[in-house]
Amino acid sequence: MTFAKIILCEARLEELLLNIPWTPRTHWKDEGSVMEDGVRLRTYYPLHLSTTASATLDPLEKDLRRISKGRSMTDEEKFQLSVVLGKVCFYGGKFDACSEALSGLPSTIQHDAALSPAYGKQLYMAQMVMTGILLEMKEDLSGALGIYETAIDNFWQKIKESSVVIVPRSSTHEELVNWPEEALYRRAMMALSINSSKGNVGSLDGVSALATYLRKMDDATPSGFRAPRRFRANRVYMDRLRQKGAAVSELAHAHTRQMSLLKAAFELPRADESHEEVLAEVDLAAEDLADEAPECLIEIMYSALSLTFNSPRVLQHLIRALERSGDYHEASLALRTYEQVAARQLEPVRKRLAAKQALDDRAKKFVAD
């Protein structure tokens, strides 16, 4: 009976969260950028609810606390209750209460839940990720990294490392937190921040951890899931590849992934706009691939054209890549398109200049008269 009550409370929580409006692209706008200290990488916490919305969680919290004061519970039920209560407090921004709910829980997977073995593992990952984030809030990056490493290691001991780790719960609504994804991502970002600190070399190679996160996401999820976070993480990864002088093949694979994620994150722009994220990527791709991997660059540029409304900048890179690959016929067609696009963009400028010149001529004639 207690188990069923807790499940019902968690189901109410999940139903509430699915109705929370949020925009992942806005939430992770500058994720992965270097912070003001010049060392840490910006890693946003999962979205917690506004003061007004979080008030809707109060009845859930009261119900869970009422359950905890009821009849005796099994160890599994106590664990389940503590984690679900921690989640309610976490989403409501009550971080001290969340810490209290999670205190004393084991750091290993103790139970295969009665509902399903996978459910017990999800509860464990939620517990560990919340614990790690609470440590991040206290600026204890090393402690948080240790928590994420422990969580992932224990998780993989229970399943095959090659198994699907991250499974989105909805194909139409971006969930606020996917606990295994959050653990893999934050482990990589904490390691990179620690590795970047002067005289501080962490036990984990951040670049390898980030590569693992990106690979797991590629293998297990559609490109649209967490696309804004993933393409920013991939950009950090490419920066690190350049710093260590990685092979062109590695960079080509990363750029191909980047364009796939950008296509998932952005829609076709209007005729009067372009996506700066896409334009920044094509410049970097041209710099990395033009000489040694023009064929890969060509595919990237064709994809970018559809996201930038035939941007002249993209067309310039495409023409050069086609020339380097020896495809002069396609290069001539791209050049013709470039000339047409440039002419269209110059036409309004020409009209404005002509109108200004006409005004100047009338003014001069008026003064002369």
Side-chain angles (χ1 to χ4, degrees):
M1 183 63 71
T2 301
F3 176 79
K5 289 180 179 179
I6 301 171
I7 287 290
L8 286 173
C9 286
E10 187 172 21
R12 287 163 54 197
L13 171 64
E14 294 299 329
E15 183 178 5
L16 172 66
L17 296 177
L18 283 175
N19 293 320
I20 297 299
W22 73 300
T23 308
R25 208 164 92 192
T26 302
H27 181 68
W28 290 310
K29 184 176 181 180
D30 54 351
E31 181 91 359
S33 60
V34 179
M35 294 179 66
E36 290 74 12
D37 61 8
V39 176
R40 287 184 59 180
L41 296 177
R42 196 175 306 281
T43 311
Y44 285 109
Y45 303 127
L47 184 74
H48 64 269
L49 309 189
S50 65
T51 303
T52 303
S54 66
T56 61
L57 295 174
D58 290 344
L60 269 177
E61 183 180 352
K62 289 178 181 177
D63 287 347
L64 288 166
R65 293 192 184 281
R66 192 178 300 116
I67 293 170
S68 68
K69 295 176 182 177
R71 66 182 182 81
S72 60
M73 294 182 286
T74 66
D75 289 344
E76 180 187 339
E77 289 170 338
K78 290 177 183 177
F79 172 73
Q80 180 192 13
L81 177 65
S82 296
V83 177
V84 175
L85 178 59
K87 287 166 66 175
V88 169
C89 296
F90 180 84
Y91 284 119
K94 299 179 180 180
F95 299 116
D96 288 340
C98 176
S99 179
E100 181 181 349
L102 300 177
S103 63
L105 294 182
S107 60
T108 57
I109 300 176
Q110 300 287 314
H111 308 285
D112 283 336
L115 184 64
S116 77
Y119 176 64
K121 296 181 182 67
Q122 287 290 335
L123 285 177
Y124 171 75
M125 294 302 289
Q127 167 211 339
M128 296 296 279
V129 169
M130 288 187 288
T131 301
I133 290 174
L134 293 173
L135 289 173
E136 287 184 54
M137 291 178 174
K138 297 177 181 179
E139 302 295 320
D140 185 0
L141 302 192
S142 296
L145 174 59
I147 291 290
Y148 300 138
E149 285 192 85
T150 298
I152 292 167
D153 288 346
N154 287 335
F155 194 56
W156 277 339
Q157 285 176 14
K158 294 289 185 177
I159 63 174
K160 293 181 179 179
E161 188 168 334
S162 59
S163 299
V164 172
V165 176
I166 304 145
V167 181
R169 289 198 298 273
S170 171
S171 59
T172 59
H173 185 89
E174 186 92 353
E175 57 199 288
L176 299 186
V177 184
N178 180 290
W179 302 108
E181 182 267 341
E182 199 74 34
L184 281 167
Y185 177 76
R186 303 192 85 85
R187 177 182 73 152
M189 299 303 277
M190 292 304 103
L192 285 169
S193 292
I194 291 170
N195 294 162
S196 298
S197 300
K198 291 183 179 179
N200 191 354
V201 179
S203 60
L204 179 69
D205 176 17
V207 179
S208 296
L210 191 54
T212 298
Y213 166 75
L214 292 166
R215 187 179 67 253
K216 290 288 184 184
M217 295 296 285
D218 290 344
D219 293 344
T221 65
S223 56
F225 178 68
R226 291 291 192 265
R229 170 184 266 186
R230 288 163 68 184
F231 77 67
R232 290 184 172 90
N234 193 54
R235 186 166 54 200
V236 172
Y237 179 59
M238 289 190 291
D239 288 342
R240 296 304 194 275
L241 288 181
R242 290 188 202 94
Q243 290 173 15
K244 73 173 190 175
V248 173
S249 59
E250 287 186 83
L251 286 167
H253 179 73
H255 280 295
T256 300
R257 173 197 288 133
Q258 189 75 346
M259 190 51 61
S260 174
L261 293 170
L262 289 169
K263 287 174 70 175
F266 295 110
E267 298 176 351
L268 180 69
R270 299 188 305 269
D272 61 343
E273 72 174 353
S274 61
H275 293 309
E276 288 301 320
E277 294 277 6
V278 180
L279 294 177
E281 163 55 18
V282 299
D283 288 343
L284 289 173
E287 182 180 337
D288 290 337
L289 308 177
D291 292 332
E292 298 185 57
E295 291 80 7
C296 178
L297 182 60
I298 290 168
E299 294 299 320
I300 289 170
M301 293 304 153
Y302 277 129
S303 295
L305 285 174
S306 66
L307 294 175
T308 58
F309 212 80
N310 283 347
S311 162
R313 200 152 118 201
V314 179
L315 284 166
Q316 288 175 4
H317 290 310
L318 176 61
I319 292 165
R320 295 191 186 101
L322 288 166
E323 288 177 337
R324 284 188 174 89
S325 70
D327 194 341
Y328 298 108
H329 175 68
E330 287 294 326
S332 67
L333 294 177
L335 178 58
R336 192 177 307 165
T337 302
Y338 174 79
E339 291 170 344
Q340 293 170 351
V341 171
R344 283 200 302 269
Q345 293 192 353
L346 287 173
E347 183 62 19
V349 178
R350 187 192 66 76
K351 289 181 177 179
R352 286 197 299 271
L353 290 175
K356 183 178 183 300
Q357 185 62 49
L359 286 173
D360 291 345
D361 291 345
R362 283 199 295 269
K364 290 177 182 177
K365 183 178 180 181
F366 178 79
V367 171
D369 292 344

